[in-house]
Amino acid sequence: LMGIAAWLVWRTSAPGKSRALTAFFGQLILNVAWSFAFFGAQNPLFGLVVIVALLAAIAWTIVTFWPVSRLAARLMVPYLAWVWFATLLNAAILTLNGAAA
């Protein structure tokens, strides 16, 4: 859905397209950064910091997609919900393993 949403924005000539795609690629970078923070560095605290920033970036992407393509913005909502759930899991792992982990 993320790819379809980005494609819908990319193919349009609506004002705000560049800003919307910049927001999309910014959240995509944070998505990759979370994997490195949580799994690569094995640091749930750093992962939580990154994933909270990712949540904000996804929300901002949805906001910037809306005036360009409402369908694209709506297609990003399941991703936002999934990352919210992943944030809860990340926080639970941090809590269960102790903040010093």
Side-chain angles (χ1 to χ4, degrees):
L1 294 178
M2 290 169 56
I4 294 169
W7 177 76
L8 287 170
V9 170
W10 175 75
R11 73 182 188 101
T12 186
S13 60
K17 169 185 171 177
S18 178
R19 180 176 162 204
L21 289 174
T22 299
F24 179 83
F25 286 109
Q27 67 79 28
L28 202 57
I29 289 167
L30 285 170
N31 186 311
V32 172
W34 178 81
S35 294
F36 282 110
F38 189 84
F39 294 111
Q42 296 182 1
N43 189 330
L45 179 58
F46 186 41
L48 187 60
V49 170
V50 173
I51 204 166
V52 168
L54 176 58
L55 276 173
I58 296 167
W60 180 246
T61 300
I62 292 170
V63 167
T64 60
F65 273 20
W66 187 259
V68 177
S69 170
R70 292 184 176 179
L71 176 57
R74 288 184 183 113
L75 288 174
M76 293 294 288
V77 172
Y79 173 46
L80 180 65
W82 168 248
V83 172
W84 175 251
F85 178 66
T87 303
L88 295 176
L89 291 174
N90 191 144
I93 289 168
L94 182 63
T95 302
L96 292 172
N97 289 316

